[in-house]
Amino acid sequence: MRKSENMDSKTDYLDKLGYETRDIDLGAIVGWITRLFVFIGVTSFVTAGLYWGFLALAKAPRADSGPAIARRLPPDPNPTVQPNPVLEIRNFRQEEEEKVKKVDWKDRNARTFTIPVDRAMDLTLQRHALPVRGQTSTSKPTP
């Protein structure tokens, strides 16, 4: 509709165009929000009550369960906590380093033994004449 000179003040033009003419119901919105907060409060109290009730039930020992600590331990031998893990890992690493660096018999009958890794790499390079990075090999490898 176009605005014209002869507009009637008693005619509701917005209603004729299909617009909603009534305002929102503020009372209904406030009531709905109030009920929502009451519901949240009640469910919070019920949930907290259930939590504390179950917590008290879990802490209370039963007569037929025996000592509370015995229920939680696995059967013997129980795993133990390391008293000094830093010292123990240091000792473990030192023992492993000694194993890697020492020459020892693996099997005397088969005449096999262990040698340090660095020495084994040197022997491999000497026996097989493998080229070192940056150098070219002039000799042929021997089988």
Side-chain angles (χ1 to χ4, degrees):
M1 291 180 91
R2 290 188 179 174
K3 188 174 180 183
S4 62
E5 305 272 337
N6 54 2
M7 289 184 73
D8 186 14
S9 62
K10 294 180 182 179
T11 305
D12 190 0
Y13 293 105
L14 292 177
D15 191 29
K16 282 186 175 184
L17 290 173
Y19 289 106
E20 187 174 343
T21 57
R22 54 192 172 117
D23 287 334
I24 58 171
D25 187 8
L26 191 59
I29 293 174
V30 169
W32 187 86
I33 291 174
T34 303
R35 286 190 297 274
L36 176 68
F37 279 107
V38 168
F39 173 75
I40 290 171
V42 168
T43 55
S44 297
F45 281 114
V46 169
T47 304
L50 285 171
Y51 172 75
W52 291 110
F54 284 131
L55 188 63
L57 185 65
K59 286 184 178 180
R62 295 182 303 206
D64 63 341
S65 67
I69 195 76
R71 284 189 319 198
R72 295 188 182 125
L73 289 178
D76 284 332
N78 295 330
T80 57
V81 177
Q82 293 176 324
N84 193 349
V86 174
L87 180 63
E88 290 177 15
I89 193 68
R90 188 179 303 138
N91 292 340
F92 173 76
R93 288 180 179 160
Q94 185 177 3
E95 290 171 8
E96 292 297 312
E97 188 70 26
E98 288 172 5
K99 286 180 188 177
V100 170
K101 289 186 175 181
K102 76 176 184 176
V103 177
D104 193 18
W105 283 102
K106 196 169 193 176
D107 186 6
R108 285 187 185 258
N109 296 333
R111 295 179 46 115
T112 58
F113 56 93
T114 60
I115 60 173
V117 175
D118 293 335
R119 180 69 181 133
M121 289 174 26
D122 290 340
L123 288 173
T124 303
L125 286 174
Q126 288 173 3
R127 289 183 183 161
H128 299 291
L130 297 174
V132 179
R133 188 177 296 181
Q135 297 178 352
T136 58
S137 177
T138 56
S139 64
K140 293 183 180 179
T142 57

